[in-house]
């Protein structure tokens, strides 16, 4: 006797299973789509787009909110705009460009995720029609580092210091030679509590008996600045070649002989001139001693 086939009752689905699946799909879509990122520097202007257009007539009907993390930035209700104190006098909404907000004179404190929410009336209440987020990253660029010579702390050892300041985010400094990182000393990083800007410095000792080419590299975020320091060891003139020694010795001796010859010639000339002058004077004196001969007196005596 054939038994009728029994139908297997499908298991009851958990009431929260579908909700969990939906959340997982939404999260996957969120991470795949990503958040628009805007990179700016301090004191620049940032334009953050809501990516949503509405007509002028709809402005009086919709509600638009811009918020940063958990704080309000701008709210537009019934066509009127309200700006929160932290952003007042430097933030406004550009309704002609996808409901973008424009933030002037950026500060480091403006870093964060900004979310735009658009609500429309529906059946007596406001429902969210659009929502998007923009990540604003504000940085302050570090100037090119300066390298200072700190002298010689010990024999054949030289110490130099690399430093830079006025940047953001937090930097990292490293010394490199031939693309290999060296062991630095006295590396310090400090931050101004008011401006939030960083200062960094580091020192390096090296042997002066070798040639060196050091690179001071400062990384902050995805940016870098660097400075190069070159050192050439002192090399005395080479005197190992005996031919060069003989050439130098002959040149020196020849110079000395030439000087002596010139001095001897001058002295000989002066002595000869003086001897002639004295000889002439002696001959003049002898001529004066000869008595004159009178011819008349000699005839008379005969």
């Amino acid at each position: 006797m054939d038994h009728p086939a029994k139908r297997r009752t499908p298991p009851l689905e958990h009431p929260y299973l579908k909700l969990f699946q939906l959340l997982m799909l939404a999260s996957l879509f969120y991470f795949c789509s990503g958040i628009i990122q805007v990179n700016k520097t301090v004191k620049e202007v940032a334009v953050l787009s809501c990516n949503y257009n509405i007509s002028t007539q709809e402005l009086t009907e919709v509600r638009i909110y811009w918020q940063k993390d958990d704080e309000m930035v701008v709210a537009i209700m019934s066509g009127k705009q309200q700006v929160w104190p932290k952003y007042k006098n430097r933030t406004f909404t550009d309704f002609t460009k996808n409901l973008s907000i424009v933030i002037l004179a950026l500060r480091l404190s403006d870093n964060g995720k900004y979310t735009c929410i658009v609500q429309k009336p529906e059946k007596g209440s406001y429902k969210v029609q659009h929502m998007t987020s923009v990540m604003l990253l504000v940085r302050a660029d570090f100037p090119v580092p300066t390298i200072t010579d700190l002298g010689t702390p010990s024999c054949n050892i030289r110490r130099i210091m690399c430093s830079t300041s006025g940047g953001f985010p937090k930097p990292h400094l490293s010394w490199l030679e031939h693309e290999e990182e060296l062991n630095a000393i006295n590396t310090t990083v400090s931050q101004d509590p008011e401006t939030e800007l960083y200062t960094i410095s580091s020192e390096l000792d090296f042997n002066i008996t070798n040639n060196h080419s050091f690179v001071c590299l400062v990384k902050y975020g995805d940016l870098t600045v660097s400075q190069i320091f070159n050192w050439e060891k002192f090399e005395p003139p080479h005197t190992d070649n005996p031919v060069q020694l003989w050439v130098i010795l002959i040149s020196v001796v020849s110079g000395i002989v030439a000087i002596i010859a010139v001095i001897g010639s001058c002295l000989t000339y002066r002595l000869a001139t003086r001897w002639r002058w004295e000889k002439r004077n002696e001959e003049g004196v002898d001529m004066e001693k000869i008595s004159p001969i009178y011819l008349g007196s000699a005839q008379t005596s005969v």
Side-chain angles (χ1 to χ4, degrees), residues 62 78 96 167 278 292:
V62 300
S78 302
T96 63
E278 291 179 350

Side-chain angles (χ1 to χ4, degrees), residues 90 110 158 194 201:
R90 66 186 189 97
D110 293 332
R158 200 84 173 184
E194 294 183 1
S201 65

Side-chain angles (χ1 to χ4, degrees), residues 68 87 90 103 105-112 114 136 138:
K68 173 182 171 289
Y87 297 88
R90 66 186 189 97
I103 306 176
L106 285 172
R107 307 167 183 170
L108 292 176
S109 59
D110 293 332
N111 271 297
Y114 291 75
L136 176 61
V138 183

Side-chain angles (χ1 to χ4, degrees), residues 172 221 238 260 300:
H172 172 76
H238 297 287
I260 293 174
T300 304

Side-chain angles (χ1 to χ4, degrees), residues 131-145:
M131 183 172 65
T132 188
S133 295
V134 181
M135 181 65 70
L136 176 61
L137 299 178
V138 183
R139 70 175 190 275
D141 290 330
F142 282 91
V144 175

